[in-house]
Amino acid sequence: MHIHHHWTGLPEAARGSTVAMGNFDGVHRGHRAVIDAARAAADAPLGVITFEPHPREYFAPDAPPFRLMNAESRANRLRRIGVDHLYELPFADELAGLTPEAFAREVLADGLGVAHVTVGQDFRFGKGRAGDAATLADLGRTLGFGVTVAPLIGEDGEEFSSTAIRQALSDGRPDDAERMLGHWHRIEGEVLHGEKRGRTLGYPTANMSLEGLHLPRLGVYAVMVDVLGGPHRGRWPGVASLGVRPMFGQNQPNLETYLFDFEGDLYGEHLSVALVDYLRPEMKFDGLDALIAQMDRDAAAARTILAAL
């Protein structure tokens, strides 16, 4: 997959795609329907237009973190489902100030030269969110590209949405999040140096930042871990603590993951940690012996759950 960070100066091979357009936070089943509709709409390379940072971060920079995915994780998911071109457009003053007409002309027609655009029926665009899917269809007829409006999808009367997925994760229901996403919820990023306390307890962990992300319920999870590159590239089952480490007076949430039967150095590597099942809430123990005993129980429970997948 080729990633492009602007709508100007593109090589000719990056123009003329059939594209799905939206924020695609989570790349959930509703998003997949939009992308699949784009795939079917035209005989052209498949592209996705999205925005970085998320427009909500631009308009409300002090709001609590809400994203299900960082840019790296979203790109990895889109690559897995066969997207050829990711147009990760910079959302700043220039883009935010374009009217719907200017966006359609300057970005879609002149810049990307799109063959076809697919959006969800709730899509809004342009300065002040003045344009909707019907506006885009009218502009496409004028500017020479096709437009498909994909219906919202769901089940049991519930639409698949990033909001509903965030609530499921906040409640400690990763199985419900997985049902709506169509894949496990993943936290992806670089392995950072931590306090290295886990190795003294018999559980060396890979530490990752949660900065900018919506926090799932704090606690311990059974996880599947993909090491995305380097000499240890591959998949391992594991157990992870997502929280503030109350035993040690820490209060900055992070993700600490123990990979079963793994040996090696992961510092600087990038991991994709899938939250498979919620085991228990975060706890404070009466001493290290009690903590280690609970970690042993957590690891055994996670091994049992993951062995059944």
Side-chain angles (χ1 to χ4, degrees):
M1 183 177 75
H2 302 280
I3 302 179
H4 313 280
H5 297 288
H6 208 276
W7 61 89
T8 62
L10 295 176
E12 195 59 33
R15 303 180 79 252
S17 297
T18 175
V19 300
M21 182 162 58
N23 292 313
F24 300 115
D25 186 28
V27 194
H28 58 62
R29 289 170 63 185
H31 297 148
R32 285 290 302 270
V34 176
I35 294 168
D36 288 344
R39 194 193 309 268
D43 184 17
L46 175 62
V48 164
I49 298 173
T50 190
F51 308 95
E52 192 62 35
H54 191 293
R56 185 167 153 188
E57 292 176 297
Y58 170 83
F59 289 114
D62 298 324
F66 67 93
R67 290 180 66 155
L68 294 169
M69 287 179 159
N70 58 25
E72 175 186 354
S73 182
R74 182 178 58 198
N76 287 338
R77 173 55 51 183
L78 294 172
R79 182 180 293 108
R80 289 186 186 103
I81 63 176
V83 172
D84 299 306
H85 295 279
L86 171 57
Y87 305 98
E88 197 177 82
L89 304 185
F91 200 89
D93 292 349
E94 182 182 7
L95 202 58
L98 294 178
T99 65
E101 295 80 3
F103 178 86
R105 183 183 307 106
E106 297 177 24
V107 177
L108 299 179
D110 296 343
L112 304 182
V114 296
H116 198 97
V117 181
T118 300
V119 295
Q121 68 182 55
D122 59 348
F123 181 75
R124 308 289 302 197
F125 72 108
K127 185 177 181 180
R129 293 169 53 85
D132 59 13
T135 307
L136 184 64
D138 289 340
L139 290 167
R141 283 188 286 271
T142 300
L143 295 169
F145 57 82
V147 174
T148 295
V149 181
L152 302 178
I153 66 168
E155 59 185 28
D156 299 327
E158 178 187 33
E159 292 175 359
F160 297 130
S161 71
S162 299
T163 299
I165 293 164
R166 281 192 287 270
Q167 187 61 56
L169 293 169
S170 294
D171 293 344
R173 297 183 284 115
D175 51 341
D176 283 341
E178 188 274 338
R179 175 180 57 82
M180 291 182 279
L181 284 164
H183 55 86
W184 289 320
H185 175 64
R186 291 178 173 272
I187 296 170
E188 302 191 0
E190 183 179 357
V191 177
L192 306 173
H193 287 274
E195 298 295 326
K196 300 179 175 60
R197 190 178 287 112
R199 66 181 61 183
T200 68
L201 304 176
Y203 286 92
T205 58
N207 299 286
M208 295 165 60
S209 171
L210 299 169
E211 184 177 1
L213 296 177
H214 170 77
L215 284 180
R217 185 180 180 188
L218 302 187
V220 177
Y221 290 81
V223 297
M224 290 295 292
V225 184
D226 289 329
V227 181
L228 299 177
H232 303 294
R233 184 184 181 98
R235 174 170 288 188
W236 277 266
V239 62
S241 174
L242 192 159
V244 296
R245 294 155 289 176
M247 278 288 292
F248 305 103
Q250 308 278 350
N251 57 19
Q252 182 66 36
N254 77 338
L255 183 67
E256 298 179 299
T257 304
Y258 174 66
L259 283 66
F260 297 148
D261 308 315
F262 176 84
E263 294 183 4
D265 184 351
L266 289 172
Y267 292 120
E269 300 292 354
H270 284 242
L271 305 188
S272 176
V273 180
L275 305 185
V276 176
D277 203 356
Y278 184 79
L279 300 181
R280 64 169 176 85
E282 203 168 35
M283 302 164 61
K284 190 171 183 178
F285 297 91
D286 294 328
L288 292 181
D289 288 344
L291 170 62
I292 293 170
Q294 183 60 57
M295 292 167 71
D296 291 342
R297 290 191 289 271
D298 294 338
R303 283 184 184 272
T304 299
I305 290 167
L306 298 171
L309 295 178

